[in-house]
Coordinates of all heavy atoms in Angstrom, one line a residue:
A1 N 5.7 -2.2 -15.4 CA 5.8 -3.2 -14.3 C 4.7 -3.0 -13.3 O 4.1 -4.0 -12.8 CB 7.2 -3.2 -13.7
Y2 N 4.5 -1.8 -12.9 CA 3.5 -1.5 -11.9 C 2.1 -1.9 -12.4 O 1.3 -2.5 -11.7 CB 3.6 0.0 -11.5 CG 2.5 0.5 -10.6 CD1 2.5 0.1 -9.3 CD2 1.6 1.5 -11.0 CE1 1.5 0.5 -8.4 CE2 0.6 1.9 -10.1 CZ 0.6 1.5 -8.8 OH -0.3 1.9 -7.9
E3 N 1.8 -1.5 -13.6 CA 0.5 -1.8 -14.2 C 0.3 -3.3 -14.4 O -0.8 -3.8 -14.2 CB 0.3 -1.1 -15.5 CG 0.1 0.4 -15.3 CD 0.1 1.2 -16.6 OE1 0.2 0.6 -17.7 OE2 -0.1 2.5 -16.5
K4 N 1.3 -4.0 -14.7 CA 1.3 -5.4 -14.9 C 0.9 -6.1 -13.6 O 0.2 -7.1 -13.6 CB 2.6 -6.0 -15.4 CG 2.7 -7.4 -15.6 CD 4.1 -7.9 -16.1 CE 4.2 -9.4 -16.1 NZ 5.6 -9.8 -16.4
L5 N 1.4 -5.6 -12.5 CA 1.1 -6.2 -11.2 C -0.3 -6.0 -10.8 O -0.9 -6.9 -10.1 CB 2.1 -5.7 -10.1 CG 3.5 -6.2 -10.2 CD1 4.4 -5.4 -9.3 CD2 3.6 -7.7 -10.0
G6 N -0.9 -4.9 -11.2 CA -2.3 -4.6 -10.8 C -2.6 -4.8 -9.4 O -1.9 -4.3 -8.5
K7 N -3.6 -5.6 -9.1 CA -4.1 -5.9 -7.7 C -3.1 -6.6 -6.9 O -3.1 -6.6 -5.7 CB -5.4 -6.6 -7.8 CG -6.6 -5.8 -8.3 CD -7.8 -6.7 -8.2 CE -9.0 -5.9 -8.8 NZ -10.2 -6.7 -8.8
N8 N -2.1 -7.3 -7.6 CA -1.1 -8.1 -6.9 C 0.1 -7.2 -6.5 O 1.1 -7.7 -6.0 CB -0.6 -9.2 -7.8 CG -1.7 -10.2 -8.0 OD1 -2.5 -10.5 -7.2 ND2 -1.8 -10.7 -9.3
Y9 N 0.0 -5.9 -6.7 CA 1.1 -5.0 -6.4 C 1.5 -5.1 -4.9 O 0.7 -5.0 -4.0 CB 0.8 -3.6 -6.8 CG 1.8 -2.6 -6.2 CD1 3.0 -2.4 -6.7 CD2 1.5 -2.0 -4.9 CE1 3.9 -1.5 -6.2 CE2 2.4 -1.1 -4.4 CZ 3.6 -0.9 -5.0 OH 4.5 -0.1 -4.4
T10 N 2.8 -5.2 -4.7 CA 3.5 -4.8 -3.5 C 4.8 -4.2 -3.9 O 5.3 -4.4 -5.0 CB 3.8 -6.0 -2.5 OG1 4.8 -6.8 -3.2 CG2 2.5 -6.8 -2.2
H11 N 5.4 -3.4 -3.1 CA 6.6 -2.7 -3.4 C 7.7 -3.8 -3.7 O 8.4 -3.7 -4.7 CB 7.1 -1.8 -2.3 CG 8.3 -1.0 -2.7 ND1 8.3 0.1 -3.6 CD2 9.6 -1.2 -2.4 CE1 9.5 0.5 -3.8 NE2 10.3 -0.2 -3.1
D12 N 7.8 -4.8 -2.9 CA 8.7 -5.9 -3.2 C 8.5 -6.6 -4.5 O 9.5 -6.9 -5.2 CB 8.7 -6.9 -2.0 CG 9.2 -6.4 -0.7 OD1 9.9 -5.3 -0.7 OD2 9.0 -7.0 0.3
K13 N 7.3 -6.8 -4.9 CA 7.0 -7.4 -6.2 C 7.4 -6.5 -7.3 O 7.9 -7.0 -8.3 CB 5.5 -7.8 -6.3 CG 5.2 -9.0 -5.5 CD 3.7 -9.4 -5.7 CE 3.3 -10.6 -4.8 NZ 1.9 -10.9 -4.9
L14 N 7.2 -5.2 -7.1 CA 7.6 -4.2 -8.2 C 9.1 -4.2 -8.3 O 9.7 -4.3 -9.4 CB 7.1 -2.8 -7.8 CG 7.4 -1.7 -8.8 CD1 6.9 -2.1 -10.2 CD2 6.9 -0.4 -8.4
V15 N 9.8 -4.2 -7.2 CA 11.3 -4.3 -7.2 C 11.8 -5.5 -8.0 O 12.6 -5.5 -8.9 CB 11.9 -4.3 -5.8 CG1 13.4 -4.7 -5.8 CG2 11.7 -2.9 -5.1
A16 N 11.2 -6.7 -7.7 CA 11.5 -7.9 -8.4 C 11.2 -8.0 -9.8 O 11.8 -8.6 -10.6 CB 10.9 -9.1 -7.6
E17 N 10.1 -7.2 -10.2 CA 9.7 -7.2 -11.6 C 10.6 -6.5 -12.5 O 10.6 -6.7 -13.7 CB 8.2 -6.6 -11.6 CG 7.5 -6.7 -12.9 CD 7.1 -8.1 -13.3 OE1 6.9 -9.0 -12.4 OE2 7.0 -8.4 -14.5
L18 N 11.3 -5.5 -12.0 CA 12.2 -4.7 -12.9 C 13.4 -5.4 -13.3 O 14.0 -6.1 -12.6 CB 12.5 -3.4 -12.1 CG 11.3 -2.6 -11.7 CD1 11.7 -1.4 -10.8 CD2 10.6 -2.0 -12.9
S19 N 13.8 -5.1 -14.5 CA 15.1 -5.7 -15.1 C 16.3 -5.1 -14.4 O 16.2 -4.0 -13.8 CB 15.1 -5.5 -16.6 OG 15.4 -4.1 -16.9
F20 N 17.4 -5.7 -14.5 CA 18.6 -5.2 -13.9 C 19.0 -3.9 -14.6 O 19.5 -3.0 -13.9 CB 19.8 -6.2 -14.0 CG 21.0 -5.8 -13.3 CD1 21.0 -5.8 -11.9 CD2 22.2 -5.5 -14.0 CE1 22.2 -5.5 -11.2 CE2 23.3 -5.1 -13.3 CZ 23.3 -5.1 -11.9
G21 N 18.7 -3.8 -15.9 CA 19.0 -2.5 -16.6 C 18.3 -1.3 -16.0 O 18.9 -0.2 -16.0
V22 N 17.1 -1.5 -15.5 CA 16.4 -0.3 -14.8 C 17.3 0.2 -13.7 O 17.5 1.4 -13.5 CB 15.0 -0.7 -14.4 CG1 14.4 0.4 -13.5 CG2 14.1 -1.0 -15.6
W23 N 17.8 -0.8 -12.9 CA 18.6 -0.4 -11.7 C 19.9 0.3 -12.1 O 20.3 1.2 -11.5 CB 18.8 -1.6 -10.8 CG 17.6 -2.2 -10.3 CD1 17.0 -3.3 -10.8 CD2 16.6 -1.6 -9.4 NE1 15.7 -3.5 -10.2 CE2 15.5 -2.4 -9.3 CE3 16.7 -0.4 -8.7 CZ2 14.4 -2.1 -8.5 CZ3 15.6 -0.1 -7.8 CH2 14.5 -1.0 -7.8
V24 N 20.5 -0.2 -13.2 CA 21.7 0.4 -13.7 C 21.4 1.8 -14.1 O 22.2 2.8 -13.7 CB 22.3 -0.4 -14.9 CG1 23.4 0.4 -15.6 CG2 22.7 -1.8 -14.5
F25 N 20.4 2.1 -14.8 CA 20.1 3.4 -15.4 C 19.6 4.4 -14.3 O 19.6 5.6 -14.6 CB 19.3 3.3 -16.6 CG 20.1 2.9 -17.8 CD1 20.0 1.6 -18.3 CD2 21.1 3.7 -18.3 CE1 20.9 1.1 -19.3 CE2 21.9 3.3 -19.4 CZ 21.8 2.0 -19.8
L26 N 19.2 3.9 -13.2 CA 18.8 4.8 -12.1 C 20.1 5.5 -11.6 O 20.0 6.6 -11.0 CB 18.1 4.1 -10.9 CG 16.7 3.7 -11.2 CD1 16.1 2.9 -10.0 CD2 15.8 4.9 -11.5
F27 N 21.2 5.0 -11.9 CA 22.5 5.6 -11.6 C 23.1 6.4 -12.7 O 24.2 6.9 -12.6 CB 23.5 4.6 -10.9 CG 23.2 4.3 -9.5 CD1 22.3 3.3 -9.2 CD2 23.7 5.1 -8.5 CE1 22.0 3.0 -7.9 CE2 23.4 4.9 -7.2 CZ 22.5 3.8 -6.8
A28 N 22.5 6.3 -13.9 CA 22.9 7.1 -15.0 C 22.7 8.6 -14.8 O 21.8 8.9 -14.0 CB 22.3 6.6 -16.3
G29 N 23.3 9.4 -15.6 CA 23.3 10.9 -15.4 C 22.0 11.5 -15.1 O 21.7 12.0 -14.0
K30 N 21.0 11.4 -16.0 CA 19.7 12.1 -15.9 C 18.9 11.6 -14.7 O 18.4 12.3 -13.9 CB 18.9 12.0 -17.2 CG 19.0 13.2 -18.1 CD 18.7 14.5 -17.4 CE 18.4 15.5 -18.4 NZ 18.5 16.9 -17.9
Q31 N 18.7 10.3 -14.7 CA 17.9 9.7 -13.6 C 18.5 10.0 -12.2 O 17.8 10.3 -11.3 CB 17.8 8.2 -13.8 CG 16.8 7.7 -14.8 CD 17.4 7.7 -16.2 OE1 16.6 7.7 -17.2 NE2 18.6 7.6 -16.4
Y32 N 19.8 9.9 -12.2 CA 20.5 10.1 -10.9 C 20.3 11.6 -10.4 O 20.0 11.8 -9.3 CB 22.0 9.7 -10.9 CG 22.6 9.9 -9.6 CD1 22.5 9.0 -8.6 CD2 23.4 11.1 -9.4 CE1 23.1 9.2 -7.4 CE2 24.0 11.3 -8.1 CZ 23.8 10.4 -7.1 OH 24.4 10.6 -5.9
Q33 N 20.5 12.5 -11.4 CA 20.3 13.9 -11.1 C 18.9 14.2 -10.6 O 18.6 14.9 -9.7 CB 20.7 14.8 -12.3 CG 22.2 14.8 -12.5 CD 22.5 15.5 -13.8 OE1 21.6 15.9 -14.6 NE2 23.8 15.8 -14.0
A34 N 17.9 13.6 -11.3 CA 16.5 13.8 -11.0 C 16.2 13.3 -9.6 O 15.4 14.0 -8.9 CB 15.7 13.1 -12.1
G35 N 16.8 12.2 -9.2 CA 16.5 11.7 -7.9 C 17.3 12.2 -6.8 O 17.1 12.0 -5.6

């Protein structure tokens, strides 16, 4: 998603570009522990 945005990157655009599943799995075991 970051690479797709390229020069148009902003943090808000990156947040919007991500699927809901990404946000779900940030709370899954491994990702959550890592963060």
Side-chain angles (χ1 to χ4, degrees):
Y2 176 65
E3 289 173 358
K4 178 182 173 187
L5 288 169
K7 291 180 183 178
N8 295 321
Y9 165 81
T10 66
H11 185 76
D12 290 343
K13 286 181 181 179
L14 180 58
V15 167
E17 188 70 28
L18 298 173
S19 71
F20 189 69
V22 170
W23 300 106
V24 173
F25 286 103
L26 284 177
F27 282 89
K30 259 312 193 193
Q31 281 87 198
Y32 182 78
Q33 288 173 352

